[in-house]
Amino acid sequence: MASSASTTAPTAHPPRPFAVPQRGSSVAGKAYWAMAQRVALTAAAIDCGYIALFLWLGSLPLALVNLGSIAMYLVAHALIQRRHNTAGILLIWLEVVAHSALGSLLVGWDSGFHYYLLLFIPAVVIANSGRYAAPIVLALLAYYLGLRWACDHWGALAPLAGKGQQIVNAIHVCVVFGMFAALAAFYRRTILIAENRLLKQATLDALTGLNNRAHFYTLAGHTLARIQRTGEPVALLLCDIDHFKQVNDRHGHATGDQVLVTVAGVLSRNLRESDVIARWGGEEFLALMPASPLASALEVAERIRVAIEQTTVHHQNNPVPLTMSFGVVQVASGDDLQAAIARADKALYQSKHGGRNRVTVG
């Protein structure tokens, strides 16, 4: 069996040169391909305007080049939309490389067609590892310098009359500035989305969406520092799902997860936005309640206890009854948070020892 497993196990493959992000693999990957489709459509629309411009300037060859460019961009958009990502992006590359060369050779280097090649630099660096980004950028540089040499050597093969070259150059500068701004906005948005996802992963419990233990300490520290100045009452509520291990053993961990999510929802609906709620352990939840006297905290705990008791999770159409036990304490000004949690834990133990499904003051 071992030898069979070893022969059928998948082998790791080195990354491909010019590896483009895979659709659906990450936030950056999804955004990259959405941007690629927008770029293809935007470029096609811009080329429609260029057709009119070059016909007005009397350059039929460049008008025909832009007509071909529109067709290539539309095909690239269709390929990416059908998940033929590599073919689509390579077609966009081919269009820009060829269009830049034809435009520069026909009208001259100072027309600014070569500016579009510069747009590939951030895309190459973002889409590839350092192993392949540098060679591709160097190849692009060699092509760029070679195109410059060819334009200087042969001159404009079909120059525009009058100030046509200056007009084209000014338009290219405006378009490239706009596209660089759009690229920068795209990468900034992607970074912000990734940062937000990392922040959630670092501060929230993945299952319930409540604060995790580490983030609870941070938020609770800020809250306790504030109440030391104001002197407002603060309560601490620690609760635990009764017989949670039996739920997992009898109904499976998927049902156990459903129970945890359901309980987290009940807690969130019955506590205030100013309360700091966290999943404290496996089936334990903790809430710090600022501006809350002990009597008010007890009323809230009792309300939550009743709400949980009236909540039922179903497993294969069979009800899974829920109850919770609570320990509630008052946090005095200057009180140590760990000591307050220990007192709440002791009160919770008394609720468990006293028959569960009850609230005990610590």
Side-chain angles (χ1 to χ4, degrees), residues 168-229:
V168 172
N169 180 278
I171 293 174
H172 285 162
V173 169
C174 294
V175 172
V176 171
F177 261 70
M179 294 186 75
F180 264 120
L183 279 172
F186 159 73
Y187 290 129
R188 180 179 181 275
R189 179 176 177 272
T190 302
I191 290 171
L192 291 176
I193 292 173
E195 284 183 345
N196 186 54
R197 176 174 290 185
L198 289 173
L199 179 62
K200 288 183 177 180
Q201 291 176 350
T203 60
L204 302 182
D205 175 64
L207 178 63
T208 63
L210 300 179
N211 297 304
N212 59 26
R213 182 185 287 240
H215 196 48
F216 175 86
Y217 276 120
T218 300
L219 296 177
H222 295 327
T223 300
L224 292 176
R226 186 184 75 247
I227 67 160
Q228 286 179 355
R229 297 191 301 269

Side-chain angles (χ1 to χ4, degrees), residues 90-322:
L90 288 177
L91 188 59
I92 292 176
W93 265 78
L94 177 62
E95 192 287 326
V96 176
V97 168
H99 197 157
S100 298
L102 289 171
S104 298
L105 291 171
L106 289 171
V107 184
W109 181 260
D110 290 338
S111 61
F113 278 95
H114 54 89
Y115 296 150
Y116 293 102
L117 294 173
L118 303 179
L119 292 168
F120 280 129
I121 297 174
V124 167
V125 174
I126 292 295
N128 294 270
S129 64
R131 180 180 177 183
Y132 296 113
I136 295 173
V137 171
L138 288 175
L140 183 64
L141 174 61
Y143 180 84
Y144 188 89
L145 294 176
L147 181 60
R148 173 62 189 269
W149 177 87
C151 290
D152 290 342
H153 181 72
W154 288 313
L157 302 178
L160 297 173
K163 293 187 178 182
Q165 189 181 72
Q166 291 91 327
I167 294 173
V168 172
N169 180 278
I171 293 174
H172 285 162
V173 169
C174 294
V175 172
V176 171
F177 261 70
M179 294 186 75
F180 264 120
L183 279 172
F186 159 73
Y187 290 129
R188 180 179 181 275
R189 179 176 177 272
T190 302
I191 290 171
L192 291 176
I193 292 173
E195 284 183 345
N196 186 54
R197 176 174 290 185
L198 289 173
L199 179 62
K200 288 183 177 180
Q201 291 176 350
T203 60
L204 302 182
D205 175 64
L207 178 63
T208 63
L210 300 179
N211 297 304
N212 59 26
R213 182 185 287 240
H215 196 48
F216 175 86
Y217 276 120
T218 300
L219 296 177
H222 295 327
T223 300
L224 292 176
R226 186 184 75 247
I227 67 160
Q228 286 179 355
R229 297 191 301 269
T230 62
E232 66 185 45
V234 176
L236 192 68
L237 182 154
L238 181 64
C239 54
D240 180 280
I241 302 173
D242 296 329
H243 303 298
F244 183 72
K245 185 177 183 302
Q246 294 180 15
V247 173
N248 280 329
D249 292 343
R250 294 177 181 176
H251 306 290
H253 288 280
T255 302
D257 289 347
Q258 186 181 355
V259 166
L260 291 170
V261 172
T262 299
V263 168
V266 173
L267 288 169
S268 298
R269 288 191 296 272
N270 285 276
L271 290 166
R272 303 164 300 177
E273 290 187 5
S274 58
D275 297 331
V276 182
I277 319 169
R279 183 181 175 191
W280 193 241
E283 67 270 24
E284 281 190 332
F285 299 85
L286 184 65
L288 187 72
M289 306 166 65
S292 181
L294 184 59
S296 298
L298 288 172
E299 291 179 4
V300 172
E302 181 61 24
R303 184 171 68 244
I304 295 173
R305 186 196 67 78
V306 172
I308 294 292
E309 191 176 31
Q310 295 174 350
T311 300
T312 303
V313 172
H314 288 84
H315 172 70
Q316 297 179 350
N317 296 324
N318 295 317
V320 180
L322 298 178

Side-chain angles (χ1 to χ4, degrees), residues 17-38:
F18 189 55
V20 291
Q22 296 301 306
R23 183 193 293 268
S25 62
S26 64
V27 172
K30 292 177 181 178
Y32 183 93
W33 292 115
M35 181 201 70
Q37 292 183 70
R38 288 196 297 269

